[in-house]
Structure formats: C-alpha cells, structure tokens
Amino acid sequence: MELTNTEKQFSILFFVIVLFELITGNTDTLQMAHYIAKPAIVVSLMFLFIKTSEGISKSIKRITILALGFSVLGDILLMFVDQSPHFFTVGLVAFLLAHIMYIVVFLKHRNKQKSIVGFVILLLMYASGLFYLLKDGLGDMLIPVIVYMIVILSMATTAFIRKGIVNHMSYNLVFVGAIFFMISDSILALNKFYQPIPFSNISIMLTYALAQFLIVIGILKISVTNSKV
C-alpha cells in the first residue's frame, strides 16, 4: 500500500502551507498572513480527509473530523496567548479534546492481546524527566499540565496498541505521528515553563504539522475490512 496520487499531490501542497506558516510566523510584518497560515495547516488536512475517506466507517470519520476541528480551535487560540494567559488555558483544553478524539479513534482498532507494559514504562520515564524540568515553573498550571500529560501519553499508548490489527502502513504512520505530537507538545511546554528554546517556533510547528499529517494519512490507510467498526 502506498500514497495515492491525490495524497502525493496534497503532500506537496501541505508542506508549502507549512513553509508559508513558518515564514509568516517568524516575520513581524506578515503577522496578518500568519493568522491565516497557521490554521490552514489542519484545515487542509480536514479537506483531504473529508474528500478521501469514503472507505472509512462513519464513526471513525466523525471522530477524526472532531479531532481536527478541536486542533484548529487550539491553533487559533494559541496565536493570541500574548493578549491573555486565558487563551493558553482554553487552547490547552481544545488540544486535550483533540487528543481524546484521537484516543477514541485508535481504540477502535486496539489489539487486546498486545502487552503495553514495556511501552508504558518508557513513556513514564520520559514523562517523569519532562515533569522534573517543568514542575518549578508550572505554578497554577500544575494540575492542567499533569492532566494533559496523562492524556497525550494515553494517546501515544492507544496508537501503539493498534499493531497487529491494522495494516503496517496505517500503524506505522499513526504511531510515528503520535510520537511527533508528543515531541511537539514537549518542546512547547519546555519553552513556556522551563526556559526559552532557540528556534522553538520552528521546531514546534514542524513536529506538530508532521504529527497531524502522519496521523491523518495513517487513518486514511486503514483497510476497508478493518475500518468497518
């Protein structure tokens, strides 16, 4: 199984949009264009998904669109954090809901025979190290960040336990996408609550865009037989 012509053509368009976002996001004089470019990343994925998801069950289709919709909302809210810290909190909630939607989608193809113990231990070690760096700077955001960390670790775990149920391409794309999502959120958290990271805007957006792209393409690659749930 490989990318269709539509997906190949979209991939070029998608990474042009991402490049446009990176340019506008790091150029003060192009700030207005950035307000369009940033949400356009996930909006474009929504259009692709809606157009090419005929073989996917209605439940997976609806929930995936919700995940992408909450992601767009989160993208928009995080663009205005300089105006009020409340935008960050509400944006966090939007992405929390996006992750929960992805968890629901991934659980529809869970392999009940697959052990998650080793993988969860690795995730907890990673999360513990990250939390150690963040804890002193969290303040009132301590509980929300802990909840968010639990949810995104759960999202990565549910992506992991699809192995053996979906085809290899769908599994690999979704799993790698989930890991990139975790990396993107980790960089964002470190940059905000620990210390500024050089070129953080670029690294956060590249890993985030790649995460969403891989997850959406991975869901589209679920075989028709396995997607009838």
Side-chain angles (χ1 to χ4, degrees):
M1 186 179 291
E2 59 182 23
L3 295 181
T4 64
N5 287 332
T6 299
E7 289 164 351
K8 289 176 182 177
Q9 291 167 5
F10 173 79
S11 299
I12 297 170
L13 172 64
F14 180 77
F15 287 105
V16 168
I17 294 173
V18 173
L19 180 60
F20 183 57
E21 193 286 331
L22 293 175
I23 293 170
T24 58
N26 292 279
T27 308
D28 293 338
T29 55
L30 298 175
Q31 191 62 40
M32 290 304 295
H34 183 235
Y35 291 144
I36 298 171
K38 187 175 181 181
I41 290 174
V42 178
V43 169
S44 68
L45 284 169
M46 289 181 73
F47 278 114
L48 174 76
F49 186 80
I50 291 168
K51 181 181 178 182
T52 62
S53 57
E54 300 87 359
I56 295 176
S57 70
K58 290 182 179 179
S59 60
I60 289 179
K61 191 172 180 177
R62 285 195 297 264
I63 300 166
T64 302
I65 291 171
L66 277 175
L68 293 171
F70 283 126
S71 296
V72 173
L73 178 60
D75 284 336
I76 293 170
L77 290 166
L78 291 185
M79 286 192 292
F80 298 99
V81 291
D82 291 340
Q83 298 182 23
S84 169
H86 296 301
F87 282 113
F88 181 83
T89 305
V90 182
L92 195 72
V93 172
F95 277 114
L96 186 77
L97 292 171
H99 288 312
I100 291 172
M101 293 302 103
Y102 277 139
I103 287 170
V104 174
V105 170
F106 300 162
L107 282 175
K108 288 184 176 292
H109 297 107
R110 66 188 179 278
N111 186 344
K112 297 178 182 179
Q113 307 303 317
K114 188 166 183 60
S115 172
I116 63 171
V117 176
F119 183 67
V120 169
I121 289 173
L122 285 175
L123 286 183
L124 290 176
M125 290 172 61
Y126 175 83
S128 298
L130 182 63
F131 183 74
Y132 177 79
L133 296 175
L134 299 177
K135 59 181 176 59
D136 293 336
L138 290 174
D140 293 339
M141 292 297 293
L142 176 65
I143 300 302
V145 168
I146 289 176
V147 172
Y148 189 90
M149 288 179 72
I150 291 170
V151 171
I152 196 167
L153 292 178
S154 300
M155 191 268 285
T157 302
T158 53
F160 174 74
I161 59 174
R162 294 168 76 247
K163 189 169 188 178
I165 301 298
V166 297
N167 58 71
H168 291 301
M169 187 172 191
S170 176
Y171 172 76
N172 290 334
L173 289 173
V174 167
F175 180 65
V176 174
I179 297 301
F180 270 116
F181 221 139
M182 196 168 66
I183 292 170
S184 180
D185 284 342
S186 298
I187 298 170
L188 189 152
L190 287 168
N191 187 66
K192 185 171 181 65
F193 299 115
Y194 180 56
Q195 66 181 29
I197 297 175
F199 308 109
S200 59
N201 287 346
I202 295 174
S203 57
I204 290 168
M205 285 311 303
L206 280 177
T207 50
Y208 169 71
L210 193 55
Q212 293 279 26
F213 176 82
L214 292 173
I215 289 173
V216 168
I217 299 297
I219 293 172
L220 287 171
K221 291 303 177 187
I222 296 171
S223 65
V224 175
T225 300
N226 283 341
S227 67
K228 297 300 183 183
V229 293

